[in-house]
Amino acid sequence: MEKLLNHLHKYGSVYNTEDSALFFYALTKMQQYNLFVEFGTGLACTSLAVTTAMKENNKGSCITYDNGSHFKNVDDYKNFLNNLKKEHKLGDRMITINEDINFNNIFLNQKVDCVFSDFKRNEDYIEKLLNWSSKYVRPNGYIFIDGLKSYNLGFNKAKKLIKKYNWSLTVIDKEDKQNINQNNMCWIKVDGNI
Protein backbone atom coordinates (compact mmCIF):
# COMPACT_ATOMS: atom_id res chain seq x y z
CA MET A 1 0.00 0.00 0.00
CA GLU A 2 2.88 2.36 0.74
CA LYS A 3 4.20 1.99 -2.82
CA LEU A 4 0.75 2.82 -4.18
CA LEU A 5 0.45 5.91 -1.98
CA ASN A 6 3.91 7.08 -3.07
CA HIS A 7 2.95 6.72 -6.74
CA LEU A 8 -0.34 8.59 -6.22
CA HIS A 9 1.41 11.38 -4.34
CA LYS A 10 4.05 11.70 -7.07
CA TYR A 11 1.78 11.53 -10.14
CA GLY A 12 -1.80 12.05 -8.95
CA SER A 13 -1.83 15.83 -9.15
CA VAL A 14 -1.06 15.88 -12.89
CA TYR A 15 -4.58 14.74 -13.88
CA ASN A 16 -6.29 15.35 -10.52
CA THR A 17 -6.56 11.61 -9.83
CA GLU A 18 -4.85 11.12 -6.48
CA ASP A 19 -8.07 11.07 -4.44
CA SER A 20 -10.27 9.39 -7.06
CA ALA A 21 -7.70 6.59 -7.46
CA LEU A 22 -8.13 5.83 -3.75
CA PHE A 23 -11.89 5.80 -4.29
CA PHE A 24 -11.47 3.16 -7.03
CA TYR A 25 -9.09 1.20 -4.79
CA ALA A 26 -11.76 1.06 -2.06
CA LEU A 27 -14.56 0.28 -4.52
CA THR A 28 -12.56 -2.58 -6.03
CA LYS A 29 -11.72 -3.97 -2.58
CA MET A 30 -15.36 -3.90 -1.50
CA GLN A 31 -16.98 -5.04 -4.74
CA GLN A 32 -14.39 -7.76 -5.47
CA TYR A 33 -14.24 -6.85 -9.17
CA ASN A 34 -13.31 -9.46 -11.76
CA LEU A 35 -12.85 -7.00 -14.63
CA PHE A 36 -12.24 -3.25 -14.60
CA VAL A 37 -11.72 -1.36 -17.88
CA GLU A 38 -10.08 2.05 -18.04
CA PHE A 39 -9.95 4.39 -21.03
CA GLY A 40 -7.12 6.88 -20.57
CA THR A 41 -4.35 5.30 -18.48
CA GLY A 42 -2.43 8.55 -18.10
CA LEU A 43 0.18 8.02 -15.41
CA ALA A 44 -1.55 4.85 -14.20
CA CYS A 45 -2.85 6.18 -10.88
CA THR A 46 -6.30 4.60 -11.22
CA SER A 47 -5.17 1.35 -12.86
CA LEU A 48 -2.43 0.91 -10.25
CA ALA A 49 -4.91 1.50 -7.41
CA VAL A 50 -7.41 -0.94 -8.91
CA THR A 51 -4.84 -3.67 -9.60
CA THR A 52 -3.33 -3.25 -6.12
CA ALA A 53 -6.78 -3.94 -4.66
CA MET A 54 -7.21 -6.89 -7.04
CA LYS A 55 -3.84 -8.30 -5.97
CA GLU A 56 -4.93 -8.02 -2.32
CA ASN A 57 -8.27 -9.65 -3.19
CA ASN A 58 -6.42 -12.35 -5.15
CA LYS A 59 -8.82 -11.94 -8.07
CA GLY A 60 -9.51 -9.70 -11.03
CA SER A 61 -7.77 -7.87 -13.83
CA CYS A 62 -7.73 -4.34 -15.20
CA ILE A 63 -7.50 -3.59 -18.91
CA THR A 64 -6.33 -0.04 -19.51
CA TYR A 65 -6.08 1.81 -22.83
CA ASP A 66 -3.87 4.76 -23.75
CA ASN A 67 -1.84 5.59 -26.87
CA GLY A 68 0.89 7.25 -24.81
CA SER A 69 0.71 10.53 -26.73
CA HIS A 70 1.54 12.45 -23.53
CA PHE A 71 5.00 10.81 -23.49
CA LYS A 72 7.96 11.54 -25.77
CA ASN A 73 7.21 8.30 -27.65
CA VAL A 74 5.12 5.20 -27.14
CA ASP A 75 8.15 3.04 -26.28
CA ASP A 76 8.99 5.31 -23.34
CA TYR A 77 5.38 5.00 -22.21
CA LYS A 78 5.40 1.20 -22.50
CA ASN A 79 8.61 1.09 -20.45
CA PHE A 80 7.07 3.36 -17.80
CA LEU A 81 4.04 1.06 -17.48
CA ASN A 82 6.04 -2.18 -17.61
CA ASN A 83 8.41 -0.94 -14.91
CA LEU A 84 5.43 0.04 -12.78
CA LYS A 85 3.90 -3.44 -13.15
CA LYS A 86 7.21 -5.07 -12.18
CA GLU A 87 7.86 -2.74 -9.25
CA HIS A 88 4.40 -3.46 -7.80
CA LYS A 89 4.52 -7.19 -8.68
CA LEU A 90 1.17 -7.06 -10.48
CA GLY A 91 1.79 -9.95 -12.86
CA ASP A 92 -1.00 -10.14 -15.42
CA ARG A 93 -3.52 -8.14 -13.37
CA MET A 94 -2.79 -4.90 -15.27
CA ILE A 95 -3.21 -5.33 -19.02
CA THR A 96 -1.98 -2.24 -20.84
CA ILE A 97 -3.04 -1.57 -24.42
CA ASN A 98 -1.01 1.23 -25.96
CA GLU A 99 -3.01 2.29 -29.00
CA ASP A 100 -5.76 4.67 -29.95
CA ILE A 101 -9.14 3.86 -28.42
CA ASN A 102 -11.41 2.39 -31.08
CA PHE A 103 -14.59 0.95 -29.61
CA ASN A 104 -15.28 -0.94 -32.85
CA ASN A 105 -12.22 -3.08 -32.12
CA ILE A 106 -12.68 -3.72 -28.39
CA PHE A 107 -14.24 -7.13 -27.86
CA LEU A 108 -14.35 -8.86 -24.49
CA ASN A 109 -15.25 -12.42 -23.57
CA GLN A 110 -16.66 -11.46 -20.18
CA LYS A 111 -18.81 -8.71 -18.72
CA VAL A 112 -17.17 -5.67 -17.15
CA ASP A 113 -17.85 -4.77 -13.53
CA CYS A 114 -16.69 -1.17 -13.82
CA VAL A 115 -15.57 1.22 -16.58
CA PHE A 116 -13.60 4.37 -15.91
CA SER A 117 -13.09 6.92 -18.68
CA ASP A 118 -10.66 9.77 -18.21
CA PHE A 119 -10.17 10.61 -21.84
CA LYS A 120 -12.29 12.56 -24.31
CA ARG A 121 -15.63 14.10 -23.37
CA ASN A 122 -17.06 15.20 -26.73
CA GLU A 123 -20.43 13.98 -28.01
CA ASP A 124 -19.02 11.44 -30.46
CA TYR A 125 -16.73 9.82 -27.91
CA ILE A 126 -19.41 9.73 -25.19
CA GLU A 127 -21.88 8.11 -27.59
CA LYS A 128 -19.37 5.44 -28.59
CA LEU A 129 -18.34 4.83 -24.96
CA LEU A 130 -21.89 4.42 -23.67
CA ASN A 131 -23.05 2.31 -26.62
CA TRP A 132 -20.03 0.02 -26.13
CA SER A 133 -20.76 -0.09 -22.39
CA SER A 134 -24.38 -1.10 -23.07
CA LYS A 135 -23.01 -4.34 -24.57
CA TYR A 136 -20.20 -5.09 -22.12
CA VAL A 137 -21.00 -3.72 -18.64
CA ARG A 138 -22.83 -6.21 -16.46
CA PRO A 139 -26.23 -5.38 -14.98
CA ASN A 140 -25.73 -3.30 -11.83
CA GLY A 141 -22.19 -2.44 -12.96
CA TYR A 142 -20.79 1.08 -13.11
CA ILE A 143 -19.45 3.58 -15.61
CA PHE A 144 -17.47 6.56 -14.34
CA ILE A 145 -16.55 9.51 -16.56
CA ASP A 146 -14.15 12.01 -15.06
CA GLY A 147 -14.94 15.70 -15.59
CA LEU A 148 -17.86 15.11 -17.98
CA LYS A 149 -20.24 17.67 -16.46
CA SER A 150 -17.75 20.42 -17.39
CA TYR A 151 -18.34 19.63 -21.10
CA ASN A 152 -21.94 20.57 -21.89
CA LEU A 153 -22.30 18.83 -25.27
CA GLY A 154 -20.83 15.55 -24.04
CA PHE A 155 -22.77 15.74 -20.77
CA ASN A 156 -26.06 16.37 -22.59
CA LYS A 157 -25.36 13.43 -24.95
CA ALA A 158 -24.64 11.23 -21.92
CA LYS A 159 -27.92 12.24 -20.24
CA LYS A 160 -29.88 11.30 -23.38
CA LEU A 161 -28.23 7.90 -23.63
CA ILE A 162 -28.58 7.25 -19.89
CA LYS A 163 -32.32 7.91 -20.25
CA LYS A 164 -32.50 5.68 -23.35
CA TYR A 165 -30.86 2.77 -21.51
CA ASN A 166 -32.83 3.43 -18.30
CA TRP A 167 -29.65 3.81 -16.25
CA SER A 168 -29.11 6.22 -13.36
CA LEU A 169 -26.68 9.12 -13.01
CA THR A 170 -25.06 10.73 -9.99
CA VAL A 171 -22.64 13.65 -10.34
CA ILE A 172 -19.96 13.81 -7.67
CA ASP A 173 -18.23 17.15 -7.18
CA LYS A 174 -14.53 17.09 -6.40
CA GLU A 175 -11.78 19.63 -5.87
CA ASP A 176 -9.87 20.56 -9.03
CA LYS A 177 -6.49 21.70 -7.69
CA GLN A 178 -4.98 22.02 -11.18
CA ASN A 179 -7.99 23.84 -12.71
CA ILE A 180 -8.18 21.34 -15.60
CA ASN A 181 -11.99 20.96 -15.78
CA GLN A 182 -11.95 17.82 -13.66
CA ASN A 183 -14.01 19.08 -10.75
CA ASN A 184 -16.64 16.38 -11.05
CA MET A 185 -17.15 12.69 -11.73
CA CYS A 186 -20.21 11.24 -13.44
CA TRP A 187 -21.21 7.94 -11.86
CA ILE A 188 -23.56 5.90 -14.04
CA LYS A 189 -25.21 2.77 -12.73
CA VAL A 190 -26.19 0.23 -15.34
CA ASP A 191 -29.58 -0.75 -13.94
CA GLY A 192 -31.26 -4.03 -14.74
CA ASN A 193 -30.57 -6.11 -17.84
CA ILE A 194 -29.00 -4.66 -20.94
Side-chain angles (χ1 to χ4, degrees):
M1 186 67 173
E2 186 177 338
K3 282 185 181 180
L4 169 63
L5 293 174
N6 288 339
H7 181 85
L8 297 181
H9 184 68
K10 183 175 182 179
Y11 296 108
S13 63
V14 176
Y15 298 114
N16 198 30
T17 54
E18 184 173 2
D19 295 336
S20 60
L22 290 172
F23 168 79
F24 285 113
Y25 168 85
L27 195 61
T28 303
K29 281 287 285 186
M30 291 184 299
Q31 296 286 312
Q32 299 277 318
Y33 288 149
N34 288 310
L35 183 58
F36 187 102
V37 175
E38 177 185 39
F39 297 108
T41 312
L43 296 170
C45 290
T46 300
S47 50
L48 181 60
V50 166
T51 52
T52 298
M54 289 174 164
K55 181 180 173 184
E56 292 170 2
N57 289 343
N58 200 30
K59 69 181 284 190
S61 60
C62 172
I63 303 172
T64 183
Y65 293 82
D66 199 308
N67 66 8
S69 62
H70 52 291
F71 266 61
K72 187 174 182 178
N73 62 60
V74 73
D75 288 333
D76 286 349
Y77 190 51
K78 286 179 183 178
N79 288 334
F80 170 78
L81 294 174
N82 286 332
N83 289 336
L84 193 64
K85 290 192 283 188
K86 286 178 190 170
E87 178 187 347
H88 292 264
K89 299 178 182 167
L90 298 175
D92 295 333
R93 295 212 186 275
M94 185 189 296
I95 302 160
T96 56
I97 308 214
N98 304 119
E99 58 188 42
D100 290 334
I101 297 167
N102 181 347
F103 291 105
N104 294 325
N105 294 329
I106 301 174
F107 304 101
L108 303 174
N109 58 8
Q110 74 182 83
K111 291 287 187 178
V112 178
D113 296 299
C114 188
V115 169
F116 174 55
S117 180
D118 190 5
F119 187 56
K120 294 180 180 177
R121 293 155 189 90
N122 62 47
E123 286 179 280
D124 183 54
Y125 174 80
I126 294 302
E127 182 170 18
K128 288 175 182 174
L129 168 67
L130 295 182
N131 286 335
W132 179 87
S133 296
S134 74
K135 296 175 189 142
Y136 287 104
V137 177
R138 69 167 171 77
N140 299 312
Y142 301 122
I143 305 160
F144 290 87
I145 307 171
D146 204 14
L148 180 60
K149 190 177 178 197
S150 300
Y151 298 82
N152 287 331
L153 295 176
F155 185 60
N156 289 335
K157 174 60 81 174
K159 289 193 297 186
K160 287 178 187 173
L161 289 167
I162 290 164
K163 185 175 181 179
K164 171 187 170 185
Y165 290 120
N166 199 28
W167 297 342
S168 58
L169 169 68
T170 302
V171 178
I172 304 167
D173 292 325
K174 62 180 191 170
E175 186 179 5
D176 184 4
K177 297 172 188 170
Q178 302 299 324
N179 198 26
I180 54 174
N181 282 332
Q182 294 205 16
N183 61 357
N184 62 82
M185 176 93 67
C186 287
W187 182 347
I188 302 165
K189 184 177 180 191
V190 175
D191 297 312
N193 294 319
I194 34 178

